[in-house]
Amino acid sequence: MGIPKREVSSTASSRIYDTLRQDLINGRFTAGEKIAISALKERYEIGLSPLREALNRLAAHGLLIQENQRGFRVPSMERSELDDIAEMRRELEGMALERAIRLGDAEWESELLAAAHRLKRADMAPDKVEEWEHFHACFHRTLVAPCGSAWLLRFIAQLHDQFDRYRRMAPEAPEVRRVLDAQHGELVELALERDIKSARALMDDHIQRSYQVALQGVLSPA
Amino acid sequence: MGIPKREVSSTASSRIYDTLRQDLINGRFTAGEKIAISALKERYEIGLSPLREALNRLAAHGLLIQENQRGFRVPSMERSELDDIAEMRRELEGMALERAIRLGDAEWESELLAAAHRLKRADMAPDKVEEWEHFHACFHRTLVAPCGSAWLLRFIAQLHDQFDRYRRMAPEAPEVRRVLDAQHGELVELALERDIKSARALMDDHIQRSYQVALQGVLSPA
DNA sequence: TAATGAAGAAAAATCGATTGTTTGGTCTAG
DNA sequence: CTAGACCAAACAATCGATTTTTCTTCATTA
């Protein structure tokens, strides 16, 4: 058979980009921290060039701050910024959901049901969080996917990354979590019924509640 | 005295990034073209590393397409994409203008008048286009600046880059240009009068007309 | 004692060269 | 004559070393 040269066929840049993106969203770096490039180089066992390329991309996406001649730093976490991100999510995801319900076809309905089911069945045990997060992101992506605007989807994805960075920092809130999980199912129902107005209202509420949870991460000292 | 080592204090990466961004927006590269990195290296007299970092940033901003293991290419220009960009501009800039009129203070009014005046006085002679474009971008940026959302401003700036790429490809349309220029002044008036509804409607019309102009660039064989 | 400036150390930016992958052409077997 | 495998040239990705810049510390002077 022959040993495959690479686990996944991608460049070192792309791989380290994905890894760092995850680690940044997961809060493995402390907010405001200065990035020591040579330290990362050893920590992730990667060359300088692909690392620098990844850092540049992350900065362009807003997950890092690039200071001319002074390297990179992890963005600080401010309540005002979370407010901004949440408000933008409400506006853009509401807009996208409305269009998706208008434009989505039967295939979309199937995929939406599948994504919702995967999310529902996913375990939230501590060691399975990554998996749950993946299904959660997929669900929200599928929900708005057929909105017809590649740029809208791009912006929403960017906001999700930013929002998740705050949410994952926050302490768990099991009772709110249950409500949020239930809302995922309700969103599917409203989408299938093509009830635009109600769906948008529910999405607004969903994001607002998530925001309340995430807010605890900024307010609490941790 | 001693020769200053650098005109401006910035890195080679940042300088080549700005240059390439301008050149991409100005259509100095043909749409769909494959980027020959070593050719750029010589053309701009720059090292590989800063060049690659700039290309990575541009790809993250959507001004280049990055294909795994196959370098970069200039995005193709499709009518459907221009439609998307224009529609998003209408939505986001409308939203931003509304908020700016709500939140803008006296200082904003002054800056807005100044920006509008600079734009009005700017020459559109062929060799002064760059200057006019600069003032034009500044004006639109100032108009929505106090909207209170850093992310909204970021998205709008990104859309402007994309839109301008199409607009600059289009043939000149002097009679429409006159209308568009007049609208800049009217936008200022409505903003100072805090007439949100009319301002938003005018902004919609302004973008729609610009879109009609830009559309000629995609339709015409040029 | 505080402020200023210079030297040294640390870190980022950049370069030149090497390694690995893709592509397009050519040759051979069916 | 066609399909598939192989080879070589071109190009992208990556590495290690060098240069440049910034930050820190310490001595000097007002």
Side-chain angles (χ1 to χ4, degrees):
Chain A
M1 52 182 181
I3 298 159
K5 291 174 187 172
R6 292 232 173 111
E7 284 288 330
V8 288
S9 163
S10 70
T11 64
S13 293
S14 301
R15 265 173 297 144
I16 190 63
Y17 172 84
D18 288 332
T19 308
L20 285 174
R21 176 171 160 272
Q22 286 297 331
D23 288 358
L24 281 164
I25 293 172
N26 284 21
R28 304 250 176 93
F29 297 87
T30 53
E33 173 187 5
K34 188 159 155 354
I35 294 286
I37 300 186
S38 53
L40 286 197
K41 175 180 120 90
E42 296 187 10
R43 177 166 156 194
Y44 292 99
E45 294 178 318
I46 195 108
L48 270 179
S49 305
L51 181 55
R52 285 190 63 82
E53 287 177 18
L55 293 176
N56 271 282
R57 275 201 257 172
L58 287 165
H61 269 287
L63 280 168
L64 283 177
I65 309 287
Q66 187 165 24
E67 286 165 318
N68 237 346
Q69 231 104 31
R70 269 187 246 178
F72 300 84
R73 43 176 56 258
V74 182
S76 58
M77 296 176 80
E78 310 286 345
R79 188 195 161 136
S80 59
E81 229 226 330
L82 178 58
D83 290 354
D84 184 5
I85 293 162
E87 170 69 9
M88 274 299 126
R89 270 197 65 190
R90 273 194 293 274
E91 291 279 5
L92 299 196
E93 283 193 65
M95 192 190 304
L97 179 58
E98 187 169 328
R99 295 186 191 188
I101 292 178
R102 278 216 174 78
L103 300 173
D105 57 9
E107 178 55 26
W108 172 58
E109 295 181 355
S110 310
E111 282 170 18
L112 191 52
L113 281 166
H117 187 71
R118 274 186 225 108
L119 176 57
K120 200 175 181 180
R121 295 294 293 265
D123 204 335
M124 271 199 80
D127 58 327
K128 297 280 187 178
V129 169
E130 283 313 311
E131 208 176 300
W132 184 88
E133 290 285 353
H134 171 72
F135 287 132
H136 184 234
C138 277
F139 171 74
H140 278 281
R141 200 168 341 111
T142 306
L143 196 56
V144 295
C147 75
S149 167
W151 283 97
L152 185 50
L153 292 176
R154 192 185 177 115
F155 295 150
I156 288 173
Q158 221 171 329
L159 288 170
H160 260 272
D161 279 356
Q162 294 292 330
F163 190 88
D164 285 356
R165 183 159 171 265
Y166 284 85
R167 180 170 56 75
R168 298 218 199 173
M169 195 67 61
E172 292 194 34
E175 63 292 345
V176 187
R177 185 71 266 160
R178 266 192 297 279
V179 176
L180 290 170
D181 284 338
Q183 286 184 334
H184 291 145
E186 294 166 34
L187 277 168
V188 175
E189 283 175 36
L190 292 173
L192 295 187
E193 290 166 17
R194 310 281 164 170
D195 185 344
I196 291 176
K197 203 151 179 285
S198 306
R200 212 175 156 156
L202 181 56
M203 178 65 98
D204 239 62
D205 186 62
H206 185 68
I207 296 172
Q208 181 60 26
R209 282 175 201 267
S210 301
Y211 163 73
Q212 296 291 352
V213 173
L215 199 55
Q216 301 306 313
V218 191
L219 300 180
S220 70
Chain B
M1 56 179 182
I3 299 158
K5 290 175 187 169
R6 292 234 171 112
E7 285 286 329
V8 290
S9 161
S10 70
T11 62
S13 293
S14 302
R15 266 174 296 143
I16 190 64
Y17 172 83
D18 288 332
T19 307
L20 283 175
R21 175 171 161 274
Q22 285 298 330
D23 288 357
L24 280 165
I25 293 172
N26 285 20
R28 303 249 176 96
F29 297 87
T30 53
E33 175 187 4
K34 190 160 154 352
I35 294 285
I37 299 187
S38 53
L40 286 197
K41 175 179 120 91
E42 297 188 9
R43 176 166 156 193
Y44 292 99
E45 292 178 321
I46 194 106
L48 270 179
S49 305
L51 182 55
R52 285 192 62 82
E53 286 178 19
L55 293 176
N56 271 281
R57 275 202 258 173
L58 288 165
H61 270 286
L63 280 168
L64 283 178
I65 309 289
Q66 189 166 24
E67 287 166 316
N68 238 346
Q69 232 102 32
R70 269 187 248 179
F72 301 83
R73 42 176 57 259
V74 181
S76 57
M77 297 176 81
E78 309 287 344
R79 187 195 162 137
S80 60
E81 228 225 332
L82 179 58
D83 290 355
D84 184 5
I85 293 163
E87 170 68 11
M88 275 298 125
R89 271 198 65 190
R90 273 194 293 273
E91 291 279 5
L92 299 196
E93 284 194 64
M95 192 190 303
L97 180 58
E98 186 169 328
R99 294 186 190 187
I101 292 178
R102 279 217 174 77
L103 299 172
D105 58 8
E107 177 57 26
W108 172 59
E109 296 179 354
S110 310
E111 283 170 18
L112 191 52
L113 281 166
H117 188 69
R118 273 186 227 108
L119 176 58
K120 200 174 179 180
R121 296 293 293 266
D123 204 337
M124 272 199 80
D127 58 327
K128 297 279 188 180
V129 170
E130 282 313 310
E131 207 176 300
W132 184 87
E133 290 285 352
H134 171 73
F135 286 134
H136 184 237
C138 276
F139 171 74
H140 276 283
R141 199 166 345 109
T142 306
L143 195 57
V144 295
C147 77
S149 167
W151 283 98
L152 185 50
L153 292 176
R154 193 185 177 112
F155 295 150
I156 288 173
Q158 221 171 329
L159 288 171
H160 260 272
D161 279 356
Q162 294 292 330
F163 190 87
D164 284 356
R165 184 160 170 263
Y166 284 86
R167 181 170 56 75
R168 297 218 199 173
M169 195 68 60
E172 292 194 34
E175 62 291 345
V176 186
R177 186 71 266 160
R178 267 193 296 279
V179 177
L180 290 170
D181 284 338
Q183 288 184 333
H184 290 145
E186 295 167 34
L187 277 167
V188 175
E189 283 176 35
L190 292 173
L192 296 187
E193 291 168 17
R194 311 280 165 171
D195 185 344
I196 291 176
K197 205 152 178 286
S198 307
R200 216 178 152 153
L202 181 56
M203 178 64 97
D204 239 62
D205 187 61
H206 186 68
I207 296 172
Q208 182 60 27
R209 282 174 201 268
S210 301
Y211 162 73
Q212 296 290 354
V213 173
L215 199 54
Q216 300 307 313
V218 191
L219 300 180
S220 71

